[in-house]
């Protein structure tokens, strides 16, 4: 799979991750990774307190949406 953002910019780079929200392939430069303690809405895990933070990978666009930016 190729990085969606890179391909959009005409760059040929393999994806090393996938956005968990929209599913687009992302290279390490474009993936936004951070750990969250709980998930709201119960996706992809049941909405309950977890013992460990869950690593999540988002694309730049979904990261903005997640953080409420426009
Ligand atoms: Zn990229
Ligand atoms: Zn996304």
């Amino acid at each position: 799979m190729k990085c969606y953002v890179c391909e959009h910019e005409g760059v040929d780079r393999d994806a090393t991750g996938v956005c968990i929200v929209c599913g687009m392939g992302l290279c390490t430069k474009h993936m936004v990774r951070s750990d969250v303690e709980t998930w709201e809405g119960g996706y992809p895990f049941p909405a309950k307190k977890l013992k460990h933070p869950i690593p999540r990978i988002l694309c730049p666009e979904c990261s903005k949406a997640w953080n409420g930016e426009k």
Side-chain angles (χ1 to χ4, degrees), residues 10-24:
V11 180
D12 188 45
R13 186 179 288 156
D14 283 327
T16 50
V18 173
C19 174
I20 58 167
V21 178
C22 66
M24 72 167 62

Side-chain angles (χ1 to χ4, degrees), residues 19-42:
C19 174
I20 58 167
V21 178
C22 66
M24 72 167 62
L26 297 164
C27 67
T28 43
K29 182 185 165 193
H30 287 121
M31 69 169 63
V32 182
R33 185 185 183 282
S34 60
D35 296 335
V36 290
E37 289 186 5
T38 54
W39 278 85
E40 293 177 23

